[in-house]
């Protein structure tokens, strides 16, 4: 089972909204974390992962994690197939 976290910059982020909408339609369960309100999450995304653009999606499968930034339908399809 995958654990998916979507780090966003709130409702004005179109790519964030598109990412979450597509994940929802494909049955991918996720947790949204708004990095404007969560300093620790913002530091994780920027300092540890090195991203400066939202959304940032982190996928954990129990053996490690995978992550990407931006609206990536190809990556969403990949995790939806694993999650099916």
């Amino acid at each position: 089972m995958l654990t998916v976290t979507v780090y966003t910059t709130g409702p004005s982020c179109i790519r964030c909204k598109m990412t979450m909408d597509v994940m929802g339609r494909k049955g991918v369960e996720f947790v949204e974390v708004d990095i404007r309100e969560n300093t620790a999450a913002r530091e994780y995304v920027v300092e540890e992962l090195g991203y400066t653009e939202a959304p940032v999606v982190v996928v954990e499968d129990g053996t490690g994690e995978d992550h990407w930034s931006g609206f990536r339908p190809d990556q969403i399809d990949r995790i939806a197939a694993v999650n099916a």
Side-chain angles (χ1 to χ4, degrees):
M1 187 65 167
L2 301 177
T3 301
V4 181
T5 306
V6 182
Y7 294 92
T8 72
T9 53
S12 63
C13 174
I14 298 303
R15 285 174 286 183
C16 301
K17 182 174 178 359
M18 289 171 34
T19 295
M20 292 185 293
D21 287 349
V22 172
M23 284 185 173
R25 283 198 307 271
K26 294 188 178 273
V28 176
E29 293 183 21
F30 61 89
V31 174
E32 178 186 4
V33 177
D34 187 335
I35 62 172
R36 296 173 310 153
E37 300 172 358
N38 186 322
T39 304
R42 182 173 54 252
E43 288 174 2
Y44 170 66
V45 166
V46 174
E47 301 299 326
E48 290 186 40
L49 298 181
Y51 293 111
T52 58
E53 181 179 42
V56 172
V57 179
V58 176
V59 181
E60 298 178 44
D61 67 0
T63 63
E65 71 178 26
D66 181 23
H67 47 83
W68 72 84
S69 176
F71 177 59
R72 296 285 309 270
D74 59 326
Q75 295 285 11
I76 297 169
D77 287 345
R78 180 180 62 82
I79 64 172
V82 170
N83 209 36

